Amino acid sequence: MAAHLRDDDRPLPSWTTRCVNCHASTSKAPAFAPPLTHDALLGATSRRGGPISHYDATAFCRAVKDGIDPASVLLRKSMPRYQIADAECMALWRYVVRQ
Ligand code: HEC
């Protein structure tokens, strides 16, 4: 899946863009990025100091494509921006939250 970093239109090498590279912790180090789980995404909570929010499919795809969270807070530059079709992103959402 093609992706790039904000303010940089060069495509990232494909081995860098797998979600699990950043969104999973190892026993030694804390995770680099928040968990992509049903509870973490659907739970109402304050993210990045913004107002309380939760994800739905539309908000998830906006984060993945445009790097904006459900409270309209910009994600860090280290979360890639993905070029992904709506149907594929919906499938990814269903996979991530197992709905
Ligand atoms: C290079 C590392 C990296 C990769 C690869 C990556 N992410 Fe992220 N992602 C991040 C970081 C870092 C954040 C936290 C950004 C912040 O807090 O501003 C993040 C945040 C998110 C969020 C917001 C989570 C929240 O709790 O608000 C979602 C959703 C997300 N990523 C989905 C994905 C998906 C889906 C993929 C694969 C298609 C992916 N990410 C791949 C680094 C990455």
Side-chain angles (χ1 to χ4, degrees):
M1 193 168 20
H4 64 95
L5 297 177
R6 172 156 52 93
D7 303 331
D8 188 341
D9 30 1
R10 292 170 302 164
L12 286 166
S14 58
W15 56 268
T16 66
T17 61
R18 295 175 57 209
C19 314
V20 71
N21 288 349
C22 300
H23 286 278
S25 57
T26 65
S27 53
K28 294 191 207 81
F32 180 72
L36 294 183
T37 60
H38 178 280
D39 290 353
L41 294 174
L42 292 175
T45 184
S46 167
R47 302 163 202 279
R48 287 164 284 280
I52 291 187
S53 67
H54 68 89
Y55 282 89
D56 57 20
T58 305
F60 175 80
C61 291
R62 190 160 78 136
V64 171
K65 292 197 258 193
D66 303 325
I68 299 170
D69 85 1
S72 298
V73 178
L74 196 60
L75 298 183
R76 299 172 111 104
K77 207 171 176 177
S78 43
M79 164 62 193
R81 273 51 169 169
Y82 289 86
Q83 280 99 59
I84 180 173
D86 290 344
E88 265 184 302
C89 194
M90 291 295 163
L92 182 59
W93 164 254
R94 284 194 299 270
Y95 170 74
V96 165
V97 298
R98 309 291 198 275
Q99 275 187 340

